[in-house]
Amino acid sequence: MEQLQDSALKNNHVLAIKQWEIKEKQEKTKEDVIKRYPTPTLNGNYQHVFNLGEITIPKGTLESNPNTDETFTVGKHNNYGAGLSVYQPISQQSKISTLLKVDKTDEILTEKERFKTSLQVKQAIVKLYYGTLILKKQLDEAEAKLTLAKSKFTDVENALIAGKTTSADKVGLQANIADEEQNILKINIQIQDYIGDLTNVTGVNAGSLKLAEIEPAIQPVNGLEEYKNVASGSNADLQIANLNKSKALLGIKAARQGNIPDIGLVGGYSYVFGSAIVPANNPYIGVNLKWNLQDLFSNKKIVKQKQFQLKQSEENILNTRQQVNNDIEKTYRKINQSQALITVAQKVVSYQKEELKIQENKQAAGLNVKTDLLNTKSFLAKSEADLYAAQLSYLIAVSDLKILTGQ
């Protein structure tokens, strides 16, 4: 079974999707980290100016034009510009830090969801594996009953030939044989369905899938309150619920930080060709302020939304804790009930084995018929199937308890 669980964890598509989702969240965090650092921006432009400005210097203003006005064309028809600007956010660093914490929380949430899915996959394999073994035991029981029914039918046929019975008894046994054959067919169909589900979950080829018989053993179980205490810190659903609360708190913090104006340092260099006014080379540095005053009002509503999300997450924690505790109590009861069933079933098996020995001794002494022996074997097969089902139900309940405590 451990091999099937390992195979499922490697081949299960849902787990693979969650793994890719984790990688996506990690890249989102890396993307937001970049926002902490300066943002360089390249820009360029070209303009063709059809009409150029002119400057006229009246005559006599300069020694070079004592008698006539002089006119100069300003600028050029073709203007080019290129530049590089760099912006370093300052006031938004606290909000960026909060957003990074939100990203990290999303990462952890996805990891916990993957962990929860892996537990569910392993548990599904446990139930399918043990369920198949139980069905195989039930199949042995059904085949024993069919053998008994056929033996009784043979006895009735012999009695009918001898004139010691009626054909009505024969018809009734034929119906009994058909009923047992139908029961065997149903069990085989269930086994095939379980095997099909196992191959689907694990990715193992059905032809190579062989389920080894197990010898069920009673495992030690601790006190109920101890499992509840462990689950409060390690249950996957509770961890996810607590992370959602942390995310809601960070959302409130980020919304309030949205009221801070965007202040940062700006610097750069620009080159201009074709302008008679702006210098060709122009380095610059300064401080930039941007503050959308509407955010002061809209952020109040965002804070309210986040606070309502926080209330939802708190209620979800309470509900999840209650559900987990209820599931632990139910599973713990199932363990105790299975132990009681095992004790009773062991007694029945013991008595049936003693009865089988008695019938075998009678058979050897010629004091009974074959049908009596087969009847006892049928009862023994049923009691063994009941014992095996109780033992595996116990192991399934123990596995459920481990899942609930995050193990």
Side-chain angles (χ1 to χ4, degrees):
M1 186 170 66
E2 288 77 10
Q3 293 176 340
L4 289 175
Q5 288 177 333
D6 291 340
S7 177
L9 295 179
K10 291 178 183 177
N11 301 325
N12 187 268
H13 294 300
V14 177
L15 288 174
I17 291 170
K18 284 295 179 183
Q19 188 59 45
W20 287 117
E21 191 176 344
I22 290 171
K23 292 182 181 296
E24 175 196 346
K25 300 295 184 182
Q26 290 171 342
E27 292 303 317
K28 177 66 168 61
T29 302
K30 293 176 183 178
E31 175 196 347
D32 288 341
V33 168
I34 297 173
K35 297 176 182 179
R36 282 182 173 274
Y37 304 108
T39 303
T41 305
L42 284 172
N43 58 76
N45 62 76
Y46 163 77
Q47 287 183 338
H48 179 83
V49 180
F50 291 94
N51 299 317
L52 299 178
E54 295 180 343
I55 297 177
T56 300
I57 300 177
K59 61 182 179 179
T61 303
L62 301 174
E63 292 182 359
S64 60
N65 64 336
N67 299 318
T68 59
D69 296 339
E70 287 193 26
T71 301
F72 299 92
T73 301
V74 179
K76 299 182 179 297
H77 286 286
N78 295 312
N79 290 272
Y80 305 90
L84 170 68
S85 64
V86 179
Y87 179 73
Q88 171 61 55
I90 295 177
S91 64
Q92 296 299 305
Q93 289 294 328
S94 59
K95 184 176 181 179
I96 294 172
S97 296
T98 302
L99 292 176
L100 289 174
K101 290 178 182 177
V102 172
D103 291 341
K104 194 64 181 176
T105 304
D106 278 334
E107 278 185 48
I108 300 172
L109 261 172
T110 308
E111 289 171 357
K112 293 299 179 184
E113 288 171 354
R114 185 185 185 280
F115 174 66
K116 177 184 174 182
T117 303
S118 69
L119 292 178
Q120 291 172 337
V121 169
K122 291 170 70 174
Q123 184 63 355
I125 291 171
V126 168
K127 291 182 177 180
L128 288 170
Y129 192 98
Y130 289 162
T132 304
L133 294 181
I134 290 171
L135 285 171
K136 287 186 175 181
K137 278 291 182 182
Q138 292 175 348
L139 183 62
D140 293 341
E141 175 195 345
E143 288 174 344
K145 287 182 178 180
L146 178 61
T147 302
L148 174 61
K150 287 181 177 179
S151 178
K152 287 182 177 180
F153 179 75
T154 302
D155 291 344
V156 168
E157 278 192 321
N158 293 332
L160 191 61
I161 293 172
K164 295 180 179 181
T165 186
T166 63
S167 59
D169 294 332
K170 179 179 178 180
V171 173
L173 286 171
Q174 285 176 322
N176 192 21
I177 290 172
D179 185 58
E180 294 301 335
E181 288 175 341
Q182 183 185 43
N183 191 33
I184 289 174
L185 181 59
K186 287 179 179 179
I187 293 173
N188 277 320
I189 290 172
Q190 279 186 285
I191 291 174
Q192 291 171 9
D193 289 342
Y194 277 32
I195 295 294
D197 289 339
L198 269 175
T199 58
N200 181 53
V201 173
T202 61
V204 176
N205 186 279
S208 61
L209 185 62
K210 294 181 180 179
L211 304 185
E213 292 283 342
I214 64 168
E215 194 63 37
I218 299 297
Q219 301 177 12
V221 179
N222 300 323
L224 176 60
E225 292 304 318
E226 183 176 340
Y227 286 111
K228 288 184 179 181
N229 291 334
V230 173
S232 64
S234 59
N235 178 268
D237 288 321
L238 275 174
Q239 289 178 335
I240 290 172
N242 284 317
L243 285 169
N244 281 323
K245 179 183 177 181
S246 299
K247 188 176 176 181
L249 288 169
L250 289 171
I252 293 172
K253 184 178 180 181
R256 287 172 175 164
Q257 289 170 335
N259 293 326
I260 300 173
D262 186 359
I263 301 173
L265 296 176
V266 63
Y269 167 82
S270 64
Y271 172 78
V272 178
F273 173 81
S275 174
I277 300 174
V278 180
N281 297 291
N282 184 25
Y284 60 91
I285 189 171
V287 177
N288 187 72
L289 168 66
K290 184 172 67 175
W291 194 4
N292 185 348
L293 297 178
Q294 189 183 58
D295 288 345
L296 295 174
F297 303 97
S298 61
N299 282 340
K300 289 182 179 180
K301 304 304 177 185
I302 294 175
V303 169
K304 282 289 185 183
Q305 295 173 38
K306 300 299 181 182
Q307 287 173 337
F308 292 144
Q309 289 179 6
L310 176 61
K311 291 296 183 183
Q312 293 174 50
S313 64
E314 289 173 343
E315 288 294 332
N316 185 49
I317 289 174
L318 294 174
N319 179 65
T320 303
R321 184 179 295 116
Q322 180 179 342
Q323 185 62 48
V324 168
N325 287 335
N326 182 62
D327 289 342
I328 289 175
E329 290 173 0
K330 186 189 299 181
T331 304
Y332 200 83
R333 284 197 305 272
K334 188 175 181 181
I335 289 173
N336 292 330
Q337 291 163 357
S338 296
Q339 285 178 323
L341 287 172
I342 289 170
T343 302
V344 174
Q346 285 173 335
K347 290 180 181 180
V348 175
V349 169
S350 177
Y351 296 148
Q352 290 295 343
K353 285 182 177 179
E354 289 180 9
E355 175 65 18
L356 179 62
K357 289 179 182 179
I358 294 171
Q359 292 298 329
E360 286 175 340
N361 292 334
K362 285 184 176 181
Q363 182 78 24
L367 299 176
N368 65 2
V369 295
K370 181 182 178 182
T371 304
D372 295 329
L373 182 62
L374 290 176
N375 191 47
T376 303
K377 286 183 178 180
S378 174
F379 283 126
L380 177 60
K382 180 182 184 306
S383 61
E384 286 178 337
D386 291 341
L387 173 60
Y388 200 66
Q391 289 170 328
L392 294 189
S393 294
Y394 172 85
L395 294 180
I396 290 173
V398 171
S399 179
D400 284 337
L401 196 57
K402 290 180 178 179
I403 296 293
L404 288 167
T405 53
Q407 299 176 30

